[in-house]
Amino acid sequence: LGGDIEITNAAISKRNSAYVAYLYERLQRRGFLQRDCQRLINQDRNHFAASMVALGDADAMVTGVTRNFSVALEDIRRCIDTKPGHRVMGISLVLARGRTVLVADTAVTEMPTSGELAEITIEAARLARNLGYDPRVALLAFSTFGQPPGERSQRVQEAVRLLDEQRLDFEYDGEMAADVALNMELREAYPFCRLSGPANVLIMPAFHSASIATKLLMELGGATVIGPMLVGFDRSVQIVPLAANDAQLVNMAAIAAFNVSA
């Protein structure tokens, strides 16, 4: 190993008492005794690492290789707060046929309400800007501008109305089917659509549709999918898929480092 790499072991760390005190203050009214927090810091790598990041002893954290995403996310949420004015969510970066598209929420909110969809839209557009893209956001559904009607489509329509009440400086519209969002020829049937070009940010109506779509793209469409990338935490944290390979780990480490400097 190079001389600039420092390895910290929870079993011998001199900072454990500070991490335990920090975690106990956060969890004491949520059913955790001090000895529970001591055990988490001493024996659980996620709580130890997240506390390191929270107290400034590390800049970023990457986890998830040996644990389910939802379990790792719960561990991190015990230690690190949501950034004020932001929303914790997952965004996947899809690279396919020379195009780059962001897809959200691919990790956190299973069945978002209209208000949550509006928040997801704003958070996703913010990340798109940070990555250097001019966001064109499509809020997706199985329907396009009211046809065929359905309850899930109504939630997306309401999310657009909620966004219209705010002074937003990026393009967005919905509800629309994925092919209409991405194909300008199909868009010709809807000249009133407010997107000036193919969408580069896709807001899914639910977590399950987002997860299914991105995994199908990887397996059948030959797309490269990076993520889900976690956004919205007060510190830089990323969770890789279970049994992630070395390339996925390197990608997530780079994203985590980028978020530290962003």
mmCIF file of all heavy atoms in Angstrom, residues 48-96:
data_model
loop_
_atom_site.group_PDB
_atom_site.id
_atom_site.type_symbol
_atom_site.label_atom_id
_atom_site.label_comp_id
_atom_site.label_asym_id
_atom_site.label_seq_id
_atom_site.Cartn_x
_atom_site.Cartn_y
_atom_site.Cartn_z
ATOM 1 N N PHE A 48 -19.680 2.642 12.447
ATOM 2 C CA PHE A 48 -18.342 3.182 12.724
ATOM 3 C C PHE A 48 -17.922 4.167 11.629
ATOM 4 O O PHE A 48 -17.506 5.294 11.907
ATOM 5 C CB PHE A 48 -17.337 2.032 12.830
ATOM 6 C CG PHE A 48 -15.919 2.477 13.065
ATOM 7 C CD1 PHE A 48 -15.498 2.859 14.323
ATOM 8 C CD2 PHE A 48 -15.006 2.514 12.017
ATOM 9 C CE1 PHE A 48 -14.181 3.273 14.535
ATOM 10 C CE2 PHE A 48 -13.698 2.916 12.220
ATOM 11 C CZ PHE A 48 -13.285 3.305 13.476
ATOM 12 N N ALA A 49 -18.050 3.757 10.370
ATOM 13 C CA ALA A 49 -17.618 4.614 9.263
ATOM 14 C C ALA A 49 -18.493 5.858 9.142
ATOM 15 O O ALA A 49 -17.981 6.964 8.909
ATOM 16 C CB ALA A 49 -17.658 3.815 7.958
ATOM 17 N N ALA A 50 -19.807 5.700 9.294
ATOM 18 C CA ALA A 50 -20.695 6.858 9.177
ATOM 19 C C ALA A 50 -20.435 7.863 10.292
ATOM 20 O O ALA A 50 -20.522 9.084 10.072
ATOM 21 C CB ALA A 50 -22.153 6.400 9.200
ATOM 22 N N SER A 51 -20.099 7.382 11.470
ATOM 23 C CA SER A 51 -19.757 8.300 12.563
ATOM 24 C C SER A 51 -18.437 9.001 12.290
ATOM 25 O O SER A 51 -18.273 10.191 12.610
ATOM 26 C CB SER A 51 -19.689 7.530 13.893
ATOM 27 O OG SER A 51 -20.955 7.014 14.241
ATOM 28 N N MET A 52 -17.482 8.300 11.685
ATOM 29 C CA MET A 52 -16.230 8.940 11.275
ATOM 30 C C MET A 52 -16.511 10.107 10.327
ATOM 31 O O MET A 52 -15.963 11.206 10.489
ATOM 32 C CB MET A 52 -15.322 7.935 10.560
ATOM 33 C CG MET A 52 -14.600 6.957 11.444
ATOM 34 S SD MET A 52 -13.422 5.952 10.494
ATOM 35 C CE MET A 52 -12.184 7.185 10.082
ATOM 36 N N VAL A 53 -17.370 9.865 9.342
ATOM 37 C CA VAL A 53 -17.705 10.905 8.366
ATOM 38 C C VAL A 53 -18.457 12.048 9.045
ATOM 39 O O VAL A 53 -18.174 13.232 8.808
ATOM 40 C CB VAL A 53 -18.529 10.306 7.212
ATOM 41 C CG1 VAL A 53 -19.025 11.404 6.277
ATOM 42 C CG2 VAL A 53 -17.692 9.298 6.434
ATOM 43 N N ALA A 54 -19.413 11.706 9.908
ATOM 44 C CA ALA A 54 -20.229 12.729 10.573
ATOM 45 C C ALA A 54 -19.377 13.656 11.430
ATOM 46 O O ALA A 54 -19.641 14.864 11.504
ATOM 47 C CB ALA A 54 -21.300 12.060 11.432
ATOM 48 N N LEU A 55 -18.342 13.120 12.075
ATOM 49 C CA LEU A 55 -17.502 13.927 12.970
ATOM 50 C C LEU A 55 -16.262 14.482 12.277
ATOM 51 O O LEU A 55 -15.392 15.064 12.925
ATOM 52 C CB LEU A 55 -17.096 13.102 14.191
ATOM 53 C CG LEU A 55 -18.251 12.701 15.126
ATOM 54 C CD1 LEU A 55 -17.721 11.992 16.361
ATOM 55 C CD2 LEU A 55 -19.087 13.909 15.536
ATOM 56 N N GLY A 56 -16.176 14.303 10.959
ATOM 57 C CA GLY A 56 -15.087 14.921 10.207
ATOM 58 C C GLY A 56 -13.786 14.159 10.197
ATOM 59 O O GLY A 56 -12.761 14.696 9.741
ATOM 60 N N ASP A 57 -13.772 12.913 10.677
ATOM 61 C CA ASP A 57 -12.552 12.121 10.653
ATOM 62 C C ASP A 57 -12.350 11.420 9.311
ATOM 63 O O ASP A 57 -11.298 10.819 9.078
ATOM 64 C CB ASP A 57 -12.578 11.084 11.777
ATOM 65 C CG ASP A 57 -12.525 11.741 13.155
ATOM 66 O OD1 ASP A 57 -11.981 12.864 13.249
ATOM 67 O OD2 ASP A 57 -13.052 11.161 14.122
ATOM 68 N N ALA A 58 -13.366 11.456 8.470
ATOM 69 C CA ALA A 58 -13.278 10.949 7.094
ATOM 70 C C ALA A 58 -14.133 11.858 6.226
ATOM 71 O O ALA A 58 -15.094 12.469 6.705
ATOM 72 C CB ALA A 58 -13.749 9.499 7.004
ATOM 73 N N ASP A 59 -13.777 11.969 4.970
ATOM 74 C CA ASP A 59 -14.497 12.868 4.067
ATOM 75 C C ASP A 59 -15.718 12.220 3.420
ATOM 76 O O ASP A 59 -16.690 12.898 3.106
ATOM 77 C CB ASP A 59 -13.560 13.361 2.961
ATOM 78 C CG ASP A 59 -12.445 14.241 3.505
ATOM 79 O OD1 ASP A 59 -12.728 15.041 4.421
ATOM 80 O OD2 ASP A 59 -11.309 14.114 3.036
ATOM 81 N N ALA A 60 -15.667 10.915 3.182
ATOM 82 C CA ALA A 60 -16.751 10.245 2.473
ATOM 83 C C ALA A 60 -16.766 8.776 2.854
ATOM 84 O O ALA A 60 -15.829 8.259 3.467
ATOM 85 C CB ALA A 60 -16.578 10.397 0.959
ATOM 86 N N MET A 61 -17.833 8.113 2.470
ATOM 87 C CA MET A 61 -18.034 6.710 2.830
ATOM 88 C C MET A 61 -18.641 5.967 1.650
ATOM 89 O O MET A 61 -19.551 6.458 0.992
ATOM 90 C CB MET A 61 -18.974 6.631 4.039
ATOM 91 C CG MET A 61 -19.454 5.250 4.406
ATOM 92 S SD MET A 61 -20.601 5.335 5.806
ATOM 93 C CE MET A 61 -21.132 3.631 5.905
ATOM 94 N N VAL A 62 -18.129 4.762 1.369
ATOM 95 C CA VAL A 62 -18.700 3.861 0.369
ATOM 96 C C VAL A 62 -18.907 2.510 1.036
ATOM 97 O O VAL A 62 -17.981 1.964 1.632
ATOM 98 C CB VAL A 62 -17.786 3.708 -0.858
ATOM 99 C CG1 VAL A 62 -18.410 2.735 -1.862
ATOM 100 C CG2 VAL A 62 -17.534 5.061 -1.514
ATOM 101 N N THR A 63 -20.116 1.976 0.943
ATOM 102 C CA THR A 63 -20.432 0.708 1.581
ATOM 103 C C THR A 63 -21.407 -0.067 0.704
ATOM 104 O O THR A 63 -21.779 0.378 -0.370
ATOM 105 C CB THR A 63 -21.033 0.942 2.994
ATOM 106 O OG1 THR A 63 -21.188 -0.328 3.650
ATOM 107 C CG2 THR A 63 -22.375 1.642 2.925
ATOM 108 N N GLY A 64 -21.825 -1.267 1.176
ATOM 109 C CA GLY A 64 -22.878 -1.997 0.503
ATOM 110 C C GLY A 64 -22.483 -3.305 -0.139
ATOM 111 O O GLY A 64 -23.355 -4.059 -0.568
ATOM 112 N N VAL A 65 -21.204 -3.620 -0.240
ATOM 113 C CA VAL A 65 -20.782 -4.823 -0.967
ATOM 114 C C VAL A 65 -21.363 -6.091 -0.352
ATOM 115 O O VAL A 65 -21.739 -7.033 -1.053
ATOM 116 C CB VAL A 65 -19.239 -4.915 -1.011
ATOM 117 C CG1 VAL A 65 -18.795 -6.204 -1.682
ATOM 118 C CG2 VAL A 65 -18.669 -3.720 -1.751
ATOM 119 N N THR A 66 -21.449 -6.131 0.982
ATOM 120 C CA THR A 66 -21.882 -7.350 1.663
ATOM 121 C C THR A 66 -23.229 -7.200 2.355
ATOM 122 O O THR A 66 -23.645 -8.113 3.075
ATOM 123 C CB THR A 66 -20.835 -7.779 2.714
ATOM 124 O OG1 THR A 66 -20.693 -6.739 3.696
ATOM 125 C CG2 THR A 66 -19.497 -8.052 2.057
ATOM 126 N N ARG A 67 -23.919 -6.073 2.118
ATOM 127 C CA ARG A 67 -25.189 -5.870 2.804
ATOM 128 C C ARG A 67 -26.237 -5.319 1.850
ATOM 129 O O ARG A 67 -25.916 -4.600 0.909
ATOM 130 C CB ARG A 67 -25.020 -4.906 3.986
ATOM 131 C CG ARG A 67 -24.031 -5.409 5.013
ATOM 132 C CD ARG A 67 -24.088 -4.626 6.280
ATOM 133 N NE ARG A 67 -22.992 -5.010 7.174
ATOM 134 C CZ ARG A 67 -22.852 -4.553 8.401
ATOM 135 N NH1 ARG A 67 -23.722 -3.689 8.883
ATOM 136 N NH2 ARG A 67 -21.848 -4.932 9.146
ATOM 137 N N ASN A 68 -27.469 -5.662 2.144
ATOM 138 C CA ASN A 68 -28.577 -5.142 1.356
ATOM 139 C C ASN A 68 -28.602 -3.626 1.404
ATOM 140 O O ASN A 68 -28.300 -3.022 2.427
ATOM 141 C CB ASN A 68 -29.882 -5.725 1.900
ATOM 142 C CG ASN A 68 -31.079 -5.327 1.083
ATOM 143 O OD1 ASN A 68 -31.624 -4.251 1.244
ATOM 144 N ND2 ASN A 68 -31.490 -6.212 0.187
ATOM 145 N N PHE A 69 -28.967 -2.992 0.271
ATOM 146 C CA PHE A 69 -28.982 -1.530 0.171
ATOM 147 C C PHE A 69 -29.814 -0.905 1.284
ATOM 148 O O PHE A 69 -29.394 0.064 1.923
ATOM 149 C CB PHE A 69 -29.542 -1.134 -1.201
ATOM 150 C CG PHE A 69 -29.389 0.322 -1.544
ATOM 151 C CD1 PHE A 69 -28.393 0.742 -2.416
ATOM 152 C CD2 PHE A 69 -30.243 1.277 -1.009
ATOM 153 C CE1 PHE A 69 -28.245 2.088 -2.737
ATOM 154 C CE2 PHE A 69 -30.109 2.622 -1.331
ATOM 155 C CZ PHE A 69 -29.112 3.020 -2.196
ATOM 156 N N SER A 70 -31.013 -1.434 1.515
ATOM 157 C CA SER A 70 -31.912 -0.829 2.501
ATOM 158 C C SER A 70 -31.349 -0.920 3.910
ATOM 159 O O SER A 70 -31.542 -0.017 4.730
ATOM 160 C CB SER A 70 -33.294 -1.487 2.436
ATOM 161 O OG SER A 70 -33.210 -2.869 2.718
ATOM 162 N N VAL A 71 -30.628 -2.013 4.214
ATOM 163 C CA VAL A 71 -30.010 -2.161 5.529
ATOM 164 C C VAL A 71 -28.907 -1.125 5.710
ATOM 165 O O VAL A 71 -28.812 -0.457 6.751
ATOM 166 C CB VAL A 71 -29.453 -3.588 5.705
ATOM 167 C CG1 VAL A 71 -28.647 -3.699 7.003
ATOM 168 C CG2 VAL A 71 -30.591 -4.599 5.695
ATOM 169 N N ALA A 72 -28.058 -0.977 4.695
ATOM 170 C CA ALA A 72 -26.983 0.010 4.767
ATOM 171 C C ALA A 72 -27.544 1.424 4.896
ATOM 172 O O ALA A 72 -27.024 2.255 5.659
ATOM 173 C CB ALA A 72 -26.091 -0.097 3.536
ATOM 174 N N LEU A 73 -28.624 1.705 4.160
ATOM 175 C CA LEU A 73 -29.233 3.035 4.218
ATOM 176 C C LEU A 73 -29.765 3.332 5.611
ATOM 177 O O LEU A 73 -29.593 4.444 6.139
ATOM 178 C CB LEU A 73 -30.345 3.144 3.181
ATOM 179 C CG LEU A 73 -31.098 4.471 3.118
ATOM 180 C CD1 LEU A 73 -30.152 5.613 2.762
ATOM 181 C CD2 LEU A 73 -32.232 4.396 2.102
ATOM 182 N N GLU A 74 -30.405 2.349 6.237
ATOM 183 C CA GLU A 74 -30.910 2.538 7.597
ATOM 184 C C GLU A 74 -29.773 2.806 8.573
ATOM 185 O O GLU A 74 -29.879 3.666 9.457
ATOM 186 C CB GLU A 74 -31.708 1.311 8.030
ATOM 187 C CG GLU A 74 -32.338 1.443 9.406
ATOM 188 C CD GLU A 74 -33.117 0.200 9.803
ATOM 189 O OE1 GLU A 74 -33.158 -0.762 9.015
ATOM 190 O OE2 GLU A 74 -33.683 0.197 10.923
ATOM 191 N N ASP A 75 -28.673 2.080 8.432
ATOM 192 C CA ASP A 75 -27.505 2.297 9.295
ATOM 193 C C ASP A 75 -26.994 3.737 9.157
ATOM 194 O O ASP A 75 -26.715 4.415 10.157
ATOM 195 C CB ASP A 75 -26.379 1.331 8.922
ATOM 196 C CG ASP A 75 -26.726 -0.121 9.216
ATOM 197 O OD1 ASP A 75 -27.672 -0.369 9.978
ATOM 198 O OD2 ASP A 75 -26.044 -1.006 8.656
ATOM 199 N N ILE A 76 -26.873 4.191 7.924
ATOM 200 C CA ILE A 76 -26.330 5.531 7.672
ATOM 201 C C ILE A 76 -27.258 6.599 8.227
ATOM 202 O O ILE A 76 -26.803 7.600 8.809
ATOM 203 C CB ILE A 76 -26.103 5.721 6.167
ATOM 204 C CG1 ILE A 76 -24.965 4.807 5.688
ATOM 205 C CG2 ILE A 76 -25.790 7.178 5.832
ATOM 206 C CD1 ILE A 76 -24.894 4.648 4.197
ATOM 207 N N ARG A 77 -28.561 6.396 8.076
ATOM 208 C CA ARG A 77 -29.523 7.400 8.547
ATOM 209 C C ARG A 77 -29.495 7.570 10.061
ATOM 210 O O ARG A 77 -29.889 8.593 10.575
ATOM 211 C CB ARG A 77 -30.926 7.028 8.078
ATOM 212 C CG ARG A 77 -31.200 7.466 6.649
ATOM 213 C CD ARG A 77 -32.619 7.192 6.234
ATOM 214 N NE ARG A 77 -33.084 8.204 5.296
ATOM 215 C CZ ARG A 77 -34.126 8.045 4.499
ATOM 216 N NH1 ARG A 77 -34.814 6.926 4.520
ATOM 217 N NH2 ARG A 77 -34.494 9.010 3.689
ATOM 218 N N ARG A 78 -29.032 6.546 10.759
ATOM 219 C CA ARG A 78 -28.897 6.693 12.211
ATOM 220 C C ARG A 78 -27.768 7.656 12.567
ATOM 221 O O ARG A 78 -27.762 8.231 13.648
ATOM 222 C CB ARG A 78 -28.613 5.324 12.852
ATOM 223 C CG ARG A 78 -29.781 4.358 12.826
ATOM 224 C CD ARG A 78 -29.525 3.201 13.773
ATOM 225 N NE ARG A 78 -30.616 2.233 13.701
ATOM 226 C CZ ARG A 78 -30.476 0.980 13.274
ATOM 227 N NH1 ARG A 78 -29.289 0.557 12.875
ATOM 228 N NH2 ARG A 78 -31.506 0.165 13.251
ATOM 229 N N CYS A 79 -26.821 7.819 11.657
ATOM 230 C CA CYS A 79 -25.608 8.578 11.977
ATOM 231 C C CYS A 79 -25.520 9.930 11.271
ATOM 232 O O CYS A 79 -24.851 10.843 11.779
ATOM 233 C CB CYS A 79 -24.365 7.757 11.606
ATOM 234 S SG CYS A 79 -24.302 6.106 12.338
ATOM 235 N N ILE A 80 -26.129 10.064 10.106
ATOM 236 C CA ILE A 80 -25.945 11.258 9.276
ATOM 237 C C ILE A 80 -27.301 11.853 8.922
ATOM 238 O O ILE A 80 -28.232 11.119 8.555
ATOM 239 C CB ILE A 80 -25.158 10.912 7.992
ATOM 240 C CG1 ILE A 80 -23.765 10.397 8.367
ATOM 241 C CG2 ILE A 80 -25.034 12.130 7.080
ATOM 242 C CD1 ILE A 80 -22.935 9.933 7.188
ATOM 243 N N ASP A 81 -27.411 13.164 9.012
ATOM 244 C CA ASP A 81 -28.670 13.868 8.762
ATOM 245 C C ASP A 81 -28.856 14.174 7.281
ATOM 246 O O ASP A 81 -27.906 14.192 6.499
ATOM 247 C CB ASP A 81 -28.712 15.182 9.546
ATOM 248 C CG ASP A 81 -28.799 14.958 11.050
ATOM 249 O OD1 ASP A 81 -29.483 14.004 11.460
ATOM 250 O OD2 ASP A 81 -28.165 15.725 11.803
ATOM 251 N N THR A 82 -30.105 14.457 6.944
ATOM 252 C CA THR A 82 -30.417 14.996 5.627
ATOM 253 C C THR A 82 -29.939 16.441 5.541
ATOM 254 O O THR A 82 -30.060 17.194 6.506
ATOM 255 C CB THR A 82 -31.935 14.937 5.374
ATOM 256 O OG1 THR A 82 -32.373 13.583 5.486
ATOM 257 C CG2 THR A 82 -32.292 15.485 4.009
ATOM 258 N N LYS A 83 -29.387 16.822 4.432
ATOM 259 C CA LYS A 83 -28.955 18.202 4.239
ATOM 260 C C LYS A 83 -30.183 19.108 4.249
ATOM 261 O O LYS A 83 -31.191 18.800 3.597
ATOM 262 C CB LYS A 83 -28.205 18.345 2.912
ATOM 263 C CG LYS A 83 -27.589 19.720 2.670
ATOM 264 C CD LYS A 83 -26.906 19.791 1.319
ATOM 265 C CE LYS A 83 -25.769 18.797 1.206
ATOM 266 N NZ LYS A 83 -25.023 18.957 -0.082
ATOM 267 N N PRO A 84 -30.140 20.231 4.980
ATOM 268 C CA PRO A 84 -31.307 21.123 5.028
ATOM 269 C C PRO A 84 -31.748 21.561 3.634
ATOM 270 O O PRO A 84 -30.929 21.937 2.794
ATOM 271 C CB PRO A 84 -30.793 22.318 5.852
ATOM 272 C CG PRO A 84 -29.696 21.753 6.696
ATOM 273 C CD PRO A 84 -29.041 20.696 5.850
ATOM 274 N N GLY A 85 -33.054 21.453 3.381
ATOM 275 C CA GLY A 85 -33.597 21.854 2.094
ATOM 276 C C GLY A 85 -33.439 20.828 1.001
ATOM 277 O O GLY A 85 -33.753 21.108 -0.155
ATOM 278 N N HIS A 86 -32.958 19.629 1.339
ATOM 279 C CA HIS A 86 -32.743 18.575 0.354
ATOM 280 C C HIS A 86 -33.585 17.350 0.706
ATOM 281 O O HIS A 86 -34.228 17.289 1.748
ATOM 282 C CB HIS A 86 -31.264 18.189 0.278
ATOM 283 C CG HIS A 86 -30.403 19.234 -0.348
ATOM 284 N ND1 HIS A 86 -29.818 19.101 -1.588
ATOM 285 C CD2 HIS A 86 -30.019 20.461 0.107
ATOM 286 C CE1 HIS A 86 -29.123 20.187 -1.877
ATOM 287 N NE2 HIS A 86 -29.224 21.028 -0.864
ATOM 288 N N ARG A 87 -33.531 16.352 -0.186
ATOM 289 C CA ARG A 87 -34.247 15.101 0.012
ATOM 290 C C ARG A 87 -33.299 13.942 -0.276
ATOM 291 O O ARG A 87 -32.611 13.933 -1.299
ATOM 292 C CB ARG A 87 -35.451 15.025 -0.929
ATOM 293 C CG ARG A 87 -36.207 13.719 -0.822
ATOM 294 C CD ARG A 87 -37.397 13.663 -1.749
ATOM 295 N NE ARG A 87 -38.138 12.437 -1.475
ATOM 296 C CZ ARG A 87 -39.044 12.324 -0.513
ATOM 297 N NH1 ARG A 87 -39.355 13.376 0.222
ATOM 298 N NH2 ARG A 87 -39.671 11.191 -0.297
ATOM 299 N N VAL A 88 -33.263 12.984 0.626
ATOM 300 C CA VAL A 88 -32.440 11.804 0.400
ATOM 301 C C VAL A 88 -33.135 10.910 -0.627
ATOM 302 O O VAL A 88 -34.301 10.541 -0.463
ATOM 303 C CB VAL A 88 -32.208 11.026 1.712
ATOM 304 C CG1 VAL A 88 -31.490 9.708 1.437
ATOM 305 C CG2 VAL A 88 -31.390 11.869 2.684
ATOM 306 N N MET A 89 -32.421 10.568 -1.671
ATOM 307 C CA MET A 89 -32.982 9.741 -2.737
ATOM 308 C C MET A 89 -31.855 9.130 -3.543
ATOM 309 O O MET A 89 -30.681 9.477 -3.367
ATOM 310 C CB MET A 89 -33.889 10.570 -3.645
ATOM 311 C CG MET A 89 -33.224 11.793 -4.231
ATOM 312 S SD MET A 89 -34.366 12.758 -5.215
ATOM 313 C CE MET A 89 -33.784 12.374 -6.853
ATOM 314 N N GLY A 90 -32.229 8.214 -4.427
ATOM 315 C CA GLY A 90 -31.254 7.572 -5.294
ATOM 316 C C GLY A 90 -31.457 7.979 -6.740
ATOM 317 O O GLY A 90 -32.585 8.029 -7.227
ATOM 318 N N ILE A 91 -30.349 8.267 -7.424
ATOM 319 C CA ILE A 91 -30.395 8.617 -8.840
ATOM 320 C C ILE A 91 -29.415 7.722 -9.591
ATOM 321 O O ILE A 91 -28.262 7.568 -9.180
ATOM 322 C CB ILE A 91 -30.028 10.099 -9.071
ATOM 323 C CG1 ILE A 91 -30.998 11.023 -8.336
ATOM 324 C CG2 ILE A 91 -30.024 10.423 -10.551
ATOM 325 C CD1 ILE A 91 -30.730 12.496 -8.533
ATOM 326 N N SER A 92 -29.891 7.123 -10.671
ATOM 327 C CA SER A 92 -29.031 6.288 -11.500
ATOM 328 C C SER A 92 -28.653 7.041 -12.771
ATOM 329 O O SER A 92 -29.499 7.715 -13.370
ATOM 330 C CB SER A 92 -29.742 4.980 -11.856
ATOM 331 O OG SER A 92 -29.940 4.199 -10.693
ATOM 332 N N LEU A 93 -27.408 6.923 -13.150
ATOM 333 C CA LEU A 93 -26.897 7.544 -14.371
ATOM 334 C C LEU A 93 -26.830 6.472 -15.454
ATOM 335 O O LEU A 93 -26.100 5.494 -15.323
ATOM 336 C CB LEU A 93 -25.510 8.138 -14.117
ATOM 337 C CG LEU A 93 -24.848 8.901 -15.258
ATOM 338 C CD1 LEU A 93 -25.598 10.187 -15.551
ATOM 339 C CD2 LEU A 93 -23.397 9.206 -14.910
ATOM 340 N N VAL A 94 -27.627 6.644 -16.505
ATOM 341 C CA VAL A 94 -27.728 5.649 -17.571
ATOM 342 C C VAL A 94 -26.989 6.156 -18.802
ATOM 343 O O VAL A 94 -27.266 7.257 -19.300
ATOM 344 C CB VAL A 94 -29.202 5.361 -17.925
ATOM 345 C CG1 VAL A 94 -29.283 4.349 -19.068
ATOM 346 C CG2 VAL A 94 -29.951 4.849 -16.697
ATOM 347 N N LEU A 95 -26.039 5.363 -19.303
ATOM 348 C CA LEU A 95 -25.280 5.679 -20.515
ATOM 349 C C LEU A 95 -25.662 4.655 -21.569
ATOM 350 O O LEU A 95 -25.353 3.465 -21.435
ATOM 351 C CB LEU A 95 -23.783 5.626 -20.241
ATOM 352 C CG LEU A 95 -23.274 6.451 -19.050
ATOM 353 C CD1 LEU A 95 -21.826 6.128 -18.759
ATOM 354 C CD2 LEU A 95 -23.459 7.930 -19.289
ATOM 355 N N ALA A 96 -26.364 5.107 -22.625
ATOM 356 C CA ALA A 96 -26.840 4.170 -23.644
ATOM 357 C C ALA A 96 -26.926 4.858 -24.991
ATOM 358 O O ALA A 96 -27.491 5.945 -25.111
ATOM 359 C CB ALA A 96 -28.215 3.616 -23.254
#
